[in-house]
Amino acid sequence: MTAQIIDGKAIAASVREKVAGHVARLVNEHGVTPGLAVVLVGENPASQVYVRNKGKQTKEAGMLSVEHRLPDTTSEGDLLALIDELNNDPTIHGILVQLPLPEHMNSDLVINAIDPSKDVDGFHISNVGLLGTGQKSMVPCTPLGCLMMLRDHHGSLSGLNAVVVGRSNIVGKPMAQLLLGDSCTVTIAHSRTMDLAGVCRGADILVAAVGRPQMIPGDWIKPGATVIDVGINRIPKEDGKTRLVGDVDFDSAVEVAGAITPVPGGVGPMTIACLLANTVTACCRAKGLPEPEGLTV
Ligand code: NDP
């Protein structure tokens, strides 16, 4: 059996199309342009690429995109002052502080300084609490993108056994909350889990968010299961160049799973599409306007 490939690029394109349509209605009917501010501190090359892509796609969707690039010598106080300014800027509906921050900064303090209603990454402690108690919140982009792909593939997820490998605050934990919200029976596995292979074999839905290249082989996967591979790992090729792989060994997993996301072209494109979706949602909430359908949970 060969698994169906869940095409994250195509689903992300349809999310971006919905976002752009809603932005056009906001501009034309209400005179409101959703605005996203992205703050990058330092010179991390991967972060620079992410920030560039985010800005480009924000503009393509018809939104206002503002970038603040600060040197890594910036003091925490200066960053907090900028966040305060953005919190009070009525043209800005979403604020994203690109992580990781330089070591001299306290990331929790910085993230929790963002107005929760503008926290389009969904990392503010208020949004974490709202999600955990099943209330309307800003939902972290990567898990939201994974849930959209799962709903797109399965329709209802109710009653399915879901295993999330990884318990980070940005992927694993919110992913588990979302799956629970959709009535899955959820297990969260991590580096101390005993018999990880056995735990994974019980999964109808397996989400891998570990950061270890090709760690999960095909024989850990239940035949017919849906596999969402969040991992992005760069490994060397024979020609001295590098390539991206996920946390799942795609070649063996594709023979067993019912459906699987590729790396690249799976979860990655969905993450940015969901950032745009969250910005539109935040804008609608700020203005008391109806929220776009299908762009949040
Ligand atoms: P973290 O490093 O924060 O968390 C990794 C988790 O994996 C931890 O909970 C850790 O367990 C667990 N883990 C580590 N080793 C093992 C092991 N041998 N067996 C079982 N569990 C293990 O990573 P993130 O959650 O931030 O990211 C995970 C992956 O997803 C990375 O590859 C990252 O690049 C990618 N990513 C992709 C995104 C996208 O848009 N596609 C967005 C965000 C992340 P413990 O807690 O016990 O240490």
Side-chain angles (χ1 to χ4, degrees), residues 142 165-168 170-171 190-192 196 209-212 215 230-233 247 267-268 271:
T142 299
V165 189
R167 56 174 164 178
S168 73
I170 64 169
V171 189
H190 46 78
S191 67
R192 308 293 173 89
L196 183 59
V210 183
R212 289 181 181 260
M215 189 191 95
V230 182
I232 302 179
N233 310 288
D247 292 338
V267 176
T271 296

Side-chain angles (χ1 to χ4, degrees), residues 6 37 53 60 66 95 126 136 168 179 211 224 234 280 282 295:
I6 299 178
N53 285 339
E60 280 169 4
V66 178
I95 302 169
S126 299
K136 199 182 258 192
S168 73
L179 291 164
R234 200 167 276 285
V280 175
L295 292 184

